[in-house]
Every structure is written in structure tokens, then in C-alpha cells.
Amino acid sequence: MEKFFISLILGILLVSCSNPNGRSWAEYGLKGPVRTCKHIESQVNYINGEYVRTGNVRDNIYEFNADGLVVKFSIVNSGELWRKLSFTVHYKYDENGVLLETENFGYDGTFSSKTLYKYNGNLLIETNTYDDFNYKIKQETFEYDSNGLLLNQYLYRNSSLKEYSEYSYKNGELFLKKNFDAKYNSIRFVSRYEDGKEVLRESSAGNMYIYYNENNLPSYIKNGKSYMDSFAMSSENIIEIVGFSDASYEYKYDSYGNWIEKVELVGEGKIPSRLEQRIITYY
């Protein structure tokens, strides 16, 4: 179960990396020559003028090289229940900054899996994931048209095709993605895109609407509730953002314009309910 959860989170992280060169300062909405960023998330109560943390505290820790590419990412959870869901990812690049390999480690530092990336020119055509016994547990392949537009994507687990996706375009821009369950040849979900960004995901579970801020970081809206991307690190220079729920947000910034404190306020009384802090070091 732990490995499945880690694989799921890694999938979210890597799928969100449309750039084959990996995640960079700009893609994280960071300004300046950032070396490390420790992003601390926790539920809080505001008592006698101070924030009192409640529940699980999660640290998202990012390390970047001097070229601005992430080389290490960790999620560290507090508490015995959540601690075992902590993990670390190491990223390896070639001399041109192209992502070649990721290595994944569990909460106790034990190696769990690695993924190798294969390209044809600058197009990603295959990824292969191996477990700690060097057994291939997952493979993804990608097919493109003559203009380099992604047409088909196939996901295999233990050499068996599990799901596949078909991509459609309008005027050279991604418009539609259909994801299928290979076993039943049935549609799992359909995603619609505008300006290359997913704006609507339709499935039997309901519709999910997706909105973006000025840094192209998404919020997910389902049944009237906002689901913020927990890995996003917006640096918008504004004092307050009104969310899609009844929550609003207050920010503090450092000298580079990166936010270092974010407080979620809920209700008419704007009661603090969530605190996020970022400890950032620079080259």
C-alpha cells in the first residue's frame, strides 16, 4: 500500500511536468537563484495571537541545481501514521539538462524504484520503471505525428496493457484527451483543454473543473469545493486571493518576491485554518 501511494504521488508530479527537462524554478513559480525550498503545511488554530498547529504537519522539500532544475524532492510527514508515507525522489539529467532517470526512496531511506526515460530527439518516447529487485513493473510508451504532436500514450504494468490515452488537436493545440481502460476498452475519463491546459475532466464520478492562476498553477473544482494543487508554490505578489470556496488567503514575501507565509482564512470572521510556510535558501 505504501509503495502504491508513493507511485501515485510520483505519477502526479511527473505527469504535471510537461517539460521533459524536469521541473524548474519558473515552473514552480519561484524567483531568484533558489537552492532549496522547504514548504511546510499544517492545520492550525489561532489562539492568543499565535498559530497552534493541529494534526499532521507535512514538509515538501525541494533542492535545485545552479541551472534551476530540481535534483531532489522529499515529502516528510509527522506522526507515526503518516510518517511511513514519506518519500524522496532524486533526479538525474544529462549535460543538456534532459531528464534521464529518477530514483525513489521510502521513508526510511530504502531504495524502492527507479524510472528511466528514453527519447527520440527531444521527444519522450518511453519510460520504464523498475522495483528494488530490478524487475520492470511499469512501462509507458508515447506515439507522435510528423509534427511532434503526441497522439497516443500506453501504460503497461507487469507487461500487461492497463490503460491508454488518445489525444486530439485543433489548429495544432491540444484540445481533447480520452483515457481508456484497456481490459474493458471503456472510457475512464475525458479531458478538455484550452491553450494547452486542462480545464475540464469528465468521468462517471462527475465533472472536475480546473482553473489556473497567473503562474499557471491549478485549482480543481468538484461539487463546489476547491481542491488546490498541494505541490504548487505560487509566488503571486498580492496580499489576498479569494478562492473558489469561502476561503481567502494572506501572504508574506521575501526580498525576491517569493511568498514565505500563506494563511488560509475561512468564514465571515476570516478565521485562520491552515498555515503554509516556505524556508528558502539561495545561491
Side-chain angles (χ1 to χ4, degrees), residues 43-54 250 252 261 263-265 269-275:
Q43 300 293 329
V44 295
N45 289 327
Y46 194 61
I47 302 174
N48 297 327
E50 295 183 354
Y51 295 114
V52 178
R53 300 183 188 275
T54 62
E250 291 183 349
K252 292 182 180 179
E261 182 175 287
V263 181
E264 182 182 73
L265 307 171
K270 293 191 174 183
I271 306 300
S273 66
R274 185 175 185 84
L275 174 66

Side-chain angles (χ1 to χ4, degrees), residues 8-257:
L8 176 63
I9 296 298
L10 288 174
I12 295 172
L13 285 170
L14 294 175
V15 166
S16 67
C17 302
S18 57
N19 180 357
N21 292 338
R23 299 303 295 265
S24 66
W25 292 324
E27 289 175 292
Y28 280 123
L30 288 167
K31 301 175 181 179
V34 174
R35 180 190 294 270
T36 64
C37 179
K38 184 177 181 180
H39 183 187
I40 307 167
E41 302 178 63
S42 60
Q43 300 293 329
V44 295
N45 289 327
Y46 194 61
I47 302 174
N48 297 327
E50 295 183 354
Y51 295 114
V52 178
R53 300 183 188 275
T54 62
N56 177 55
V57 177
R58 186 176 76 182
D59 295 348
N60 299 338
I61 305 171
Y62 307 78
E63 296 182 15
F64 298 88
N65 63 20
D67 295 321
L69 297 175
V70 65
V71 293
K72 184 178 179 181
F73 169 73
S74 300
I75 287 184
V76 181
N77 292 284
S78 67
E80 186 62 27
L81 176 62
W82 293 96
R83 183 177 65 88
K84 292 185 178 181
L85 296 179
S86 302
F87 64 88
T88 297
V89 187
H90 292 267
Y91 300 79
K92 296 181 180 180
Y93 305 89
D94 68 8
E95 63 276 8
N96 296 313
V98 175
L99 182 63
L100 298 179
E101 180 179 338
T102 56
E103 291 184 331
N104 312 315
F105 300 83
Y107 74 99
D108 57 356
T110 303
F111 173 81
S112 61
S113 66
K114 67 178 179 181
T115 299
L116 304 179
Y117 299 80
K118 181 179 179 180
Y119 301 86
N120 181 8
N122 64 347
L123 297 177
L124 177 65
I125 59 173
E126 185 176 300
T127 69
N128 291 286
T129 300
Y130 301 84
D131 65 13
D132 49 346
F133 294 100
N134 205 34
Y135 180 80
K136 185 160 67 175
I137 56 175
K138 186 176 76 169
Q139 181 184 57
E140 287 187 278
T141 60
F142 307 84
E143 296 177 348
Y144 302 84
D145 68 8
S146 58
N147 295 314
L149 296 176
L150 179 62
L151 295 180
N152 301 294
Q153 181 176 349
Y154 302 92
L155 172 63
Y156 301 84
R157 292 191 183 277
N158 299 319
S159 300
S160 176
L161 180 64
K162 294 299 182 182
E163 60 185 76
Y164 61 95
S165 298
E166 297 176 351
Y167 296 82
S168 302
Y169 298 82
K170 281 187 176 181
N171 300 320
E173 295 289 336
L174 180 61
F175 170 68
L176 201 68
K177 173 185 176 181
K178 294 182 180 179
N179 182 268
F180 297 85
D181 183 301
K183 181 177 180 180
Y184 300 102
N185 198 32
S186 59
I187 293 180
R188 298 177 65 245
F189 65 84
V190 176
S191 293
R192 301 184 186 276
Y193 292 78
E194 292 180 4
D195 298 324
K197 296 182 293 188
E198 186 181 17
V199 296
L200 173 63
R201 181 174 297 189
E202 302 171 294
S203 71
S204 59
N207 294 341
M208 181 179 292
Y209 299 88
I210 305 169
Y211 300 85
Y212 297 81
N213 65 17
E214 294 177 0
N215 288 316
N216 291 327
L217 299 175
S219 296
Y220 303 95
I221 314 303
K222 185 175 181 182
N223 298 329
K225 184 177 181 182
S226 174
Y227 293 84
M228 299 301 294
D229 180 359
S230 60
F231 304 105
M233 301 194 296
S234 169
S235 62
E236 292 179 289
N237 283 311
I238 51 182
I239 301 303
E240 180 176 287
I241 299 177
V242 177
F244 299 105
S245 63
D246 63 348
S248 60
Y249 303 89
E250 291 183 349
Y251 292 81
K252 292 182 180 179
Y253 298 87
D254 68 10
S255 60
Y256 282 92

